[in-house]
Amino acid sequence: MTDSADLAHENLQAMLEETGWRETHLGRLMGDALRRFDARVLSLMAHNVEVPLALSNLAAKAQVSAAHVHITRHLPPQGARLTELAERAGMSKQAMGDLVDQCAAWGLVTRQPDPLDARARRVLFTATGLAWLQAFKDAVAQAEDEFRTAVGAEVAAVVALGLEAYAA
């Protein structure tokens, strides 16, 4: 390499070795915040007396993960086809199918024939799943209150508005 190319390479290498930016960029902070928020929600659900004991125990033992929360977040009360659910959650149909199978084994959801298409099936919450959904709603509300307390109401409002605008 030429001297100028060597110098450019050294400058680039020095810049890349400075790693602080990798831990403080917006994407990393949003990801860390989402993981913390989801962990808090699952912790609250694990201690909610309205959640069926078996599900509470699964949440307490960290066997219910943020991935399972995708079903809770994205399955509408009237149900949805697996492909619709996967699309809403930003997951592959196969990955969502695995989650639905696991949640069905836990009694959260069921698959029933789609009344509009005899070849298709809809994923629906069971009665236990609806109780889980209510516990999720309560836990999200409490986690949001804790967030507002931690950062202040004004900052929380700006964060919510900013994320809403950015996600749109």
Side-chain angles (χ1 to χ4, degrees):
M1 283 196 252
T2 65
D3 288 339
S4 64
D6 286 341
L7 183 59
H9 179 73
E10 288 174 16
N11 287 341
L12 179 60
Q13 188 171 2
M15 181 182 74
L16 292 176
E17 286 176 2
E18 192 283 299
T19 61
W21 66 271
R22 292 178 12 183
E23 300 194 13
T24 60
H25 68 82
L26 191 56
R28 174 84 179 250
L29 295 172
M30 287 191 296
D32 290 348
L34 179 60
R35 280 186 291 282
R36 178 179 175 182
F37 188 85
D38 283 348
R40 181 62 180 144
V41 166
L42 288 172
S43 173
L44 291 167
M45 291 176 75
H47 297 93
N48 184 326
V49 296
E50 299 299 320
V51 172
L53 185 59
L55 293 173
S56 179
N57 286 336
L58 288 170
K61 294 176 183 175
Q63 292 179 320
V64 177
S65 70
H68 297 97
V69 171
H70 281 309
I71 290 177
T72 311
R73 266 193 193 114
H74 299 288
L75 181 60
Q78 72 275 15
R81 291 182 184 174
L82 185 66
T83 52
E84 297 166 344
L85 186 54
E87 186 178 309
R88 288 178 185 181
M91 300 173 67
S92 71
K93 182 180 172 186
Q94 292 77 15
M96 181 55 75
D98 290 344
L99 287 175
V100 167
D101 288 344
Q102 197 167 34
C103 289
W106 294 340
L108 289 174
V109 298
T110 186
R111 289 182 177 173
Q112 296 182 356
D114 188 324
L116 302 176
D117 183 350
R119 299 167 298 163
R121 299 186 55 78
R122 294 187 72 74
V123 179
L124 297 159
F125 282 113
T126 62
T128 299
L130 291 172
W132 176 263
L133 183 60
Q134 181 62 51
F136 179 74
K137 178 182 176 187
D138 296 343
V140 165
Q142 183 172 338
E144 287 179 349
D145 285 344
E146 292 170 1
F147 174 74
R148 276 189 288 283
T149 299
V151 301
E154 296 82 13
V155 170
V158 169
V159 168
L161 289 170
L163 290 173
E164 190 175 301
Y166 184 70

